[in-house]
């Protein structure tokens, strides 16, 4: 008996040690060194590209390095990563590359055909402005906010997300759109024009009311009648089913409401972000390493793909949320995610186009980008690493 007890406490002790190790702060310097090497390799891959329209690396799928044009919703992430590399290292070579790749997507400031301008312009020019205070960047952020605002309909109180698939919806709003509000909040601060702020608050309030279920998981797509503002239907596009909880959608919501609290100090957003966090971390399908499967309700779990991007977005949001909620457990969870990503999900050096992390799921129902590296996973991973230092 005594021996057994001893054995058990040895196992318990080793579990405690491994949990403690993984709850420790990530090794930011080491992970950025790795990211810098990979990104150097990626820049070399980009030299082989002869199409000037293709400006931003997105993924490596089916053996192919995929570079997208500035109109793609992910075009701002690679420039953003270059800004993060500059922020961490202060090496002028990253400043130079960040400027070059940011400039390549400049024309999108006038794009009124997508809600993704927050992702496109804020992740690139927004980070660039924070670090350089370049007045040209400031104007581009304001111009982009003006373009995004044209998609706001006062009758619905929301920004229309997509113009495509008109046979499926009239005025669709996706949970991802919460991320684009950061651009609007920033534009009000930079311009003094409060209309951007008001649009962001209206969009967040309607999303809080209409996108969430009783358990605080969210629908992916909510369709509004553009004349009356009445919700027509709640559905999915990238999730397992209309009633399922698509993992990246939950992460966008967590990050989005956290940033709304930062910008407004309205406690309802803080409480909402905490409820989303509770849904994510109490979900019975969440693996021990906190890297979720692509949809919390995929019945084939554990025989399906993870979504590393959802984990990286969540980690980044949790560092910020922990400061507002005064909850150290969020930091422990974020550290655990980052340490596990660094230990088990990294792309081997000089391979697969030079992306940093493997195992994201882009759009599983469309059989697209399943279990691949992807630029937004890398972007939020680097952002989370930087936030872990603060
Ligand atoms: N915003 C599109 C996605 O998360 O896949």
């Amino acid at each position: 008996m005594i021996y057994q007890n001893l054995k058990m406490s040895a196992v318990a002790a080793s579990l405690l040690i491994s949990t403690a190790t993984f709850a420790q702060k990530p090794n930011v310097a080491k992970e950025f060194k790795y990211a810098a090497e990979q990104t150097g390799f990626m820049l070399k891959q980009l030299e082989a590209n002869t199409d000037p329209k293709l400006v931003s690396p997105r993924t490596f799928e089916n053996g192919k390095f995929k570079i997208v044009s500035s109109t793609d919703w992910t075009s701002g992430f690679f420039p953003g990563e270059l800004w993060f590399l500059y922020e961490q290292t202060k090496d002028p070579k990253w400043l130079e590359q960040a400027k070059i790749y940011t400039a390549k997507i400049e024309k999108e400031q006038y794009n009124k055909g997508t809600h993704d301008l927050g992702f496109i312009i804020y992740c690139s020019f927004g980070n660039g402005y924070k670090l350089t205070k370049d007045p040209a960047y400031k104007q581009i952020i304001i111009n982009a906010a003006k373009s995004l605002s044209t998609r706001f309909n006062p009758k619905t109180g929301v920004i229309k997300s997509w113009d495509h698939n008109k046979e499926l919806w009239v005025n669709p709003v996706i949970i991802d759109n919460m991320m684009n509000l950061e651009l609007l909040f920033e534009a009000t601060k930079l311009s003094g024009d409060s209309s951007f702020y008001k649009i962001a608050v209206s969009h967040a309030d309607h999303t809080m009311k209409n996108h969430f279920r009783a358990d605080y998981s969210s629908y992916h797509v909510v369709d509004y009648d553009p004349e009356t503002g009445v919700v027509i239907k709640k559905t999915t596009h990238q999730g397992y089913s209309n009633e399922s909880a698509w993992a990246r959608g939950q992460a966008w919501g967590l990050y989005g409401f956290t940033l709304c609290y930062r910008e407004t100090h309205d406690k309802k957003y803080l409480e909402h972000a905490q409820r989303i966090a509770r849904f994510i971390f109490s979900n019975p399908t969440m693996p021990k390493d906190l890297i979720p499967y692509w949809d919390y309700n995929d019945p084939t779990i554990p025989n399906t793909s993870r979504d590393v991007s959802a984990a990286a977005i969540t980690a980044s949001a949790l560092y910020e949320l922990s400061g507002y909620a005064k909850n150290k457990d969020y930091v422990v969870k974020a550290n655990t995610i980052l340490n596990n990503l660094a230990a088990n999900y990294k792309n081997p050096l000089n391979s697969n186009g030079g992306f940093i992390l493997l195992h994201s799921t882009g759009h599983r129902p469309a059989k697209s980008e399943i279990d691949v590296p992807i630029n937004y996973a890398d972007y939020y991973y680097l952002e989370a690493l930087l936030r872990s230092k603060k």
Side-chain angles (χ1 to χ4, degrees), residues 262-280:
R262 179 214 306 148
E263 300 298 339
T264 63
H265 304 292
D266 187 333
K267 280 251 156 53
K268 72 175 183 240
Y269 297 136
L270 175 61
E271 283 159 14
H272 199 65
Q274 291 180 271
R275 291 183 196 121
I276 298 170
R278 210 169 301 135
F279 171 82
I280 291 173

Side-chain angles (χ1 to χ4, degrees), residues 258-311:
T258 302
L259 82 83
C260 283
Y261 177 69
R262 179 214 306 148
E263 300 298 339
T264 63
H265 304 292
D266 187 333
K267 280 251 156 53
K268 72 175 183 240
Y269 297 136
L270 175 61
E271 283 159 14
H272 199 65
Q274 291 180 271
R275 291 183 196 121
I276 298 170
R278 210 169 301 135
F279 171 82
I280 291 173
F281 292 104
S282 63
N283 194 283
T285 70
M286 176 62 94
K288 280 207 168 52
D289 68 0
L290 305 185
I291 315 302
Y293 292 94
W294 74 284
D295 189 299
Y296 292 101
N297 298 99
D298 182 341
T300 65
I301 289 172
N303 301 314
T304 189
S305 54
R306 304 282 187 111
D307 184 11
V308 154
S309 74

Side-chain angles (χ1 to χ4, degrees), residues 88-107:
Q88 167 68 14
T89 63
K90 299 289 178 297
D91 184 334
K93 94 174 170 207
W94 294 120
L95 174 63
E96 191 195 340
Q97 292 300 330
K99 283 184 181 172
I100 291 171
Y101 279 90
T102 296
K104 286 176 194 275
I105 64 173
E106 190 177 322
K107 75 177 173 66

Side-chain angles (χ1 to χ4, degrees), residues 73 119 176 238 246 248 252 362 376:
W73 80 272
F119 284 121
D176 323 28
Q238 280 161 266
W246 174 51
R248 195 161 55 259
W252 292 142
Y376 43 91

Side-chain angles (χ1 to χ4, degrees), residues 312-327:
I313 298 157
T314 300
S316 190
L318 286 176
Y319 284 121
E320 180 168 20
L321 184 61
S322 71
Y324 307 142
K326 312 262 176 295
N327 183 342

